[in-house]
Amino acid sequence: MSFTAEVRDELSRCEPTCEYCDLATLAALVRVCGTLSITGSGRYRLTVATETGAVARTMLGLTHKILKLRTEFTVRRSVLHKVRNYLITLPDQPGLDKALVLLGILDRRGGLVRGIPRHVVARPCCRLAYIRGALIAGGFVADPRGDFHLEIAVQGEEFADALAELIGQIGVNARVNRRKSTFAVYVKSARDIRALLEAVGAQRSVDVLEDARAMKSVKNEVNRKVNAELANQTRSAGAAQHQLELIAEVERRGLRGTLPRALEDFCALREAYPDLSLRDLGEVSDPPLSKSALYHRVLRLEKLLE
């Protein structure tokens, strides 16, 4: 099971906080992945098609619980993609028009609602329930072992903006991106994804995300130290090579026999240990010398040759 499927399944099992939360969840689910057909004056047909069992289970359960309407349920198996397709249909029937108004799909005059109706998300807990329903219906959460990314695919720019604003009300930075005929309401930072999932009740998924985040932090720290060590070794190797070239130049000019004792000792030590850093070279010296003391001897050699 993908991480997205795990998140959706966990969210579909969350209990409502108040008596109106289930309505908010169902309203978001229908709005994100439902299709409304108008078959005549005042005659409607609502269809929800999904490949996700959590969506089908939530849709059927809440429809029977809240709306008390007749539903048609069909399961098909895609030969090409080898997945199940769930089709939930609410055919034209008495009370469907009122249910569509209650869900915020239609206004009281029968017009389509573009944004998110206030009566559905009037309470803070219902706002979270609406976001939860949107995540169940069209949410995608990347495997946290890779990149951190969460998005909800929706139809309509006004609805996408309203959903991003609703998510922003719980302190999470959500943005909208247009993708051909659809819109993606997305969250990128690990902190915001954690805050969003925690707010809507996906605590098990948050724990998985935090474990992955901690593992990434450890790997990044190890990589940083390894890279720093490699850079230090490269610098040390370059510096040692430069010092050996100085000594070779001193030899070429016939100045080796005129060097002061301290410089001659340094030249002999460097020739004996051509790969050591100045710090390590000072530790093998007898008596031990500091890195600063050896560096000043290198400067004296350079000054001598100048």
Side-chain angles (χ1 to χ4, degrees):
M1 183 183 292
S2 68
F3 188 63
T4 295
E6 291 177 2
V7 172
R8 286 179 168 184
D9 183 72
E10 182 178 9
L11 291 177
S12 70
R13 302 178 189 278
C14 290
E15 294 294 328
T17 302
C18 78
E19 58 182 319
Y20 302 107
C21 285
D22 279 341
L23 174 64
T25 299
L26 181 60
L29 191 151
V30 171
R31 185 61 182 273
V32 172
C33 64
T35 301
L36 179 65
S37 302
I38 302 176
T39 58
S41 178
R43 301 186 64 185
Y44 305 99
R45 182 183 183 88
L46 182 63
T47 304
V48 171
T50 180
E51 296 177 354
T52 307
V55 175
R57 182 174 65 245
T58 305
M59 175 68 187
L60 286 171
L62 294 183
T63 299
H64 294 156
K65 177 181 178 181
I66 299 171
L67 305 180
K68 306 290 194 296
L69 294 177
R70 178 169 57 89
T71 59
E72 298 172 357
F73 180 55
T74 306
V75 181
R76 300 173 182 171
R77 188 168 185 84
S78 172
V79 177
L80 179 61
H81 301 291
K82 297 182 179 179
V83 295
R84 289 182 178 178
N85 291 316
Y86 303 96
L87 189 67
I88 303 105
T89 303
L90 276 70
D92 183 55
Q93 57 189 293
L96 180 57
D97 54 345
K98 294 180 180 179
L100 293 174
V101 174
L102 181 65
L103 293 172
I105 307 302
L106 298 177
D107 59 27
R108 295 186 182 277
R109 292 174 296 180
L112 290 173
V113 177
R114 301 291 181 182
I116 300 175
R118 293 183 179 179
H119 76 272
V120 176
V121 291
R123 301 183 180 187
C125 59
C126 294
R127 293 172 204 154
L128 293 177
Y130 196 92
I131 297 169
R132 185 185 305 127
L135 278 168
I136 295 171
F140 166 79
V141 188
D143 191 323
R145 290 172 296 182
D147 293 332
F148 293 112
H149 183 80
L150 179 149
E151 70 175 51
I152 306 171
V154 301
Q155 298 284 340
E157 186 172 8
E158 290 182 43
F159 179 66
D161 290 338
L163 183 57
E165 182 180 350
L166 193 68
I167 294 174
Q169 292 177 16
I170 62 174
V172 174
N173 183 27
R175 298 182 180 181
V176 177
N177 184 29
R178 187 185 187 103
R179 293 180 180 171
K180 296 182 180 179
S181 60
T182 63
F183 293 85
V185 180
Y186 69 93
V187 179
K188 288 291 291 183
S189 79
R191 182 189 67 81
D192 280 340
I193 293 173
R194 171 185 173 163
L196 178 56
L197 293 179
E198 201 163 38
V200 296
Q203 187 57 53
R204 186 175 70 244
S205 299
V206 169
D207 293 340
V208 174
L209 187 146
E210 281 302 298
D211 288 343
R213 189 179 178 184
M215 183 62 69
K216 278 186 179 180
S217 178
V218 171
K219 287 183 178 179
N220 290 339
E221 181 65 16
V222 170
N223 288 337
R224 186 191 66 79
K225 290 183 177 180
V226 169
N227 291 336
E229 183 63 25
L230 289 174
N232 288 335
Q233 291 177 3
T234 300
R235 286 195 296 269
S236 296
Q241 182 61 33
H242 172 66
Q243 294 157 21
L244 290 171
E245 291 172 357
L246 289 177
I247 296 170
E249 183 63 17
V250 168
E251 291 275 8
R252 191 181 68 79
R253 297 188 187 185
L255 300 175
R256 182 72 177 259
T258 66
L259 293 178
R261 176 65 181 275
L263 294 187
E264 171 55 34
D265 289 346
F266 169 75
C267 291
L269 196 62
R270 171 50 76 198
E271 289 173 331
Y273 301 99
D275 299 325
L276 294 184
S277 65
L278 282 181
R279 184 183 304 277
D280 294 337
L281 200 64
E283 292 179 357
V284 299
S285 175
D286 187 18
L289 297 170
S290 67
K291 176 182 176 180
S292 177
L294 292 179
Y295 181 65
H296 279 90
R297 296 186 187 189
V298 175
L299 295 179
R300 288 171 62 187
L301 271 180
E302 291 176 339
K303 188 70 173 177
L304 175 66
L305 290 175
E306 290 173 3

